[in-house]
Amino acid sequence: MRFCFFSTEISLTAERFSALCKRVRAEFFLVYNPSIFNDYLVKIPFLSKFFGCDDENYIEKLIKKKPDLVGMTLYSDVQLHRKLDILKKIKERLPDVKIIVGGPHVTISGEDILKRFSFIDFAVRGAGEGALEGILKEKDLSELPGLIYRTREKIVCNNWKFSPNEELYNIPQKNTLYSRKFPYLKKSFVIDSNYGCLFSCSFCYHSIFDKKSIVFRDPKRLVDDILTAQKNGAKMVFFFDDNFIILKQKTLELLNIYRKKISIPFICIVHPTLLDEELINAMKEAGCIGIEMGVQTMNEELRKKYLKRFEKDKDIINTMKLAQKYNIPLKIDHLFGIPDQTEEDHIRAFLIYKKFNISHVSTFFLMLYPKLEINKILLEKGMIDNNTLVDIEKGNISNFHKHPAVEVDPNILKLEAMAALIPIFPYNFIKLILKKRLYRMMPNSLPFWFFRFFIYFLEAIFSKQHVMSRREMYIYYKTMKDSIFSKIKEFLKGGIV
């Protein structure tokens, strides 16, 4: 069977599915549209088309592969209906191809997806390896975990569990699909060491699932994958887990093997209630050069009341102090759009971040997924209405960076741009700008995407540990450069003729 995965963003899922196809002896193809000027950062259609990122170009590439099965990951964000349109066009041109979708939006609303979109044949809840393996092996559909499919009479939703099959999760990964076209990506090897999250934050889609366990990669196999990446040119590892230190003893076991066998440094994500002296010392000895932590807000009351995050400010500050003590750069995730959040809340948080020499502050706006507890809270607070709630359930909501899902004061947008400057300038200078509200002097006429693009550019330049920003800026640069050179060659060739 020929399986083609269509992606508009770099995806670890594609890497896992590629390894799975090799295991079952199926052909795997990746069609990747870099989507510059048509992503969650910025949408300028004529520039996207000029630089060769028009979806039609990539649909044609997929058609030429003549796949039997086409897969795509769907998120509840501004890209959802663009992706659905891509899949619809593929089905129109290849009526016999089977289309399978997965991802957070499908896990939450998979049955609804099949009811509303007849061009989709299969949806998968949770990790998709088990269902995909069964389809590739042409097994009975009723036996495949998490699969949603149609019969003549009804839509069938198979039983599923949140965690992936441990054997399939441990299939070796090389993560070379995207670096073939974008060689710079080889420098940072992105992989997860565990799957799942035991917390239930009200704004995260993890919160609505029945999570009874975390699945871990076998540490020896994981280290073998990293050694292979190191031989292929990797200079750094980014553990893209929701929480690298979710179980202390498992983490210490991995760190011990990593310290003995791996010579390149790593970055990871932690939770403020779990990091202690023993862990951070082991992380430092193993080569940790960067930590990322979700704080969201330094208003403890709002964090507990609306976000259902129960760590204390002292837990967060303790993590900041540990990072300082062990000289490991700490990157903070900060959230805009929380109910009752004030401009003063942001200013206070930013000054605390600066006080503890946070290496970078990544800012996000509240995202609204279907069925989340935060949606009811926003409805009660009057921040969204019932029509918006219906749109959220269908995925008809502008999410992520491009447009906040909830209305935000223009001055807050300017504060977001300020967050990127926190690590660059001295404390007293930052304090002056914040306390005197000098950031408000930025012109209101600047479009929202300008702030996001500006911030990502600063992150890529000044924050070595912001792996994803550097990757995205590189993809913009490489795609534009290759497109311009290609146009020049075509022009010269035409001129010679």
Side-chain angles (χ1 to χ4, degrees), residues 50-52 477-491:
F50 177 81
F51 288 115
Y477 160 75
K478 178 77 162 50
T479 304
M480 288 190 290
K481 186 190 77 170
D482 289 351
S483 177
I484 290 170
F485 281 3
S486 175
K487 292 178 186 298
I488 291 173
K489 287 181 180 178
E490 288 179 12
F491 175 78

Side-chain angles (χ1 to χ4, degrees), residues 183-292:
Y184 173 83
L185 302 183
K186 289 182 180 180
K187 293 185 178 182
S188 53
F189 183 65
V190 182
I191 196 167
D192 45 4
S193 69
N194 65 66
Y195 186 98
C197 179
L198 297 179
F199 296 94
S200 296
C201 306
S202 67
F203 59 96
C204 178
Y205 67 88
H206 279 296
S207 64
I208 66 173
F209 303 138
D210 181 18
K211 302 166 294 182
K212 296 181 179 179
S213 64
I214 302 293
V215 174
F216 292 85
R217 290 194 190 280
D218 179 273
K220 294 180 181 178
R221 292 184 184 179
L222 176 60
V223 166
D224 285 343
D225 286 348
I226 296 171
L227 284 171
T228 299
Q230 186 175 320
K231 291 176 183 177
N232 291 334
K235 305 297 182 184
M236 179 200 312
V237 176
F238 181 22
F239 288 109
F240 201 51
D241 313 319
D242 288 300
N243 188 352
F244 180 67
I245 59 173
I246 189 67
L247 289 181
K248 183 175 179 178
Q249 291 307 313
K250 287 280 190 180
T251 306
L252 290 173
E253 178 186 358
L254 172 59
L255 290 171
N256 185 48
I257 299 173
Y258 194 104
R259 176 176 55 83
K260 293 176 179 178
K261 292 192 173 184
I262 306 295
S263 61
I264 57 176
F266 70 89
I267 293 168
C268 63
I269 301 169
V270 304
H271 192 278
T273 60
L274 300 177
L275 189 67
D276 60 22
E277 191 105 24
E278 183 182 10
L279 270 171
I280 198 168
N281 181 62
M283 289 162 59
K284 180 70 174 182
E285 290 183 351
C288 181
I289 60 166
I291 298 171
E292 181 176 340

Side-chain angles (χ1 to χ4, degrees), residues 3 67 101 130 133-134 174 208 218 228 266 331 336 385 447 459:
F3 175 50
V101 294
E133 181 187 43
K174 294 183 179 180
I208 66 173
D218 179 273
T228 299
F266 70 89
K331 173 176 166 286
F336 290 90
D385 57 24
E459 288 173 345

Side-chain angles (χ1 to χ4, degrees), residues 387-406:
N387 290 332
T388 304
L389 194 61
V390 171
D391 282 338
I392 292 168
E393 296 302 316
K394 293 181 178 180
N396 300 333
I397 188 76
S398 293
N399 249 334
F400 220 81
H401 299 311
K402 186 174 174 289
H403 296 293
V406 294

Side-chain angles (χ1 to χ4, degrees), residues 334-390:
H334 182 89
L335 190 63
F336 290 90
I338 302 170
D340 298 340
Q341 194 177 35
T342 66
E343 198 169 352
E344 188 59 41
D345 286 329
H346 297 298
I347 291 171
R348 176 177 173 270
F350 288 177
L351 290 176
I352 291 173
Y353 302 156
K354 185 61 187 178
K355 177 182 177 181
F356 288 98
N357 294 320
I358 299 306
S359 66
H360 188 79
V361 180
S362 281
T363 52
F364 300 88
F365 283 88
L366 192 61
M367 295 175 63
L368 306 181
Y369 292 106
K371 298 181 175 62
L372 293 190
E373 184 178 354
I374 191 66
N375 300 342
K376 298 178 182 178
I377 294 172
L378 294 175
L379 185 65
E380 291 170 0
K381 299 291 293 185
M383 296 176 70
I384 61 174
D385 57 24
N386 284 307
N387 290 332
T388 304
L389 194 61
V390 171

Side-chain angles (χ1 to χ4, degrees), residues 404-429:
V406 294
E407 187 175 349
V408 178
D409 187 301
N411 288 322
I412 299 299
L413 300 184
K414 298 171 185 178
L415 253 180
E416 189 199 14
M418 270 299 304
L421 304 177
I422 289 174
I424 303 172
F425 295 104
Y427 180 86
N428 287 335
F429 180 76

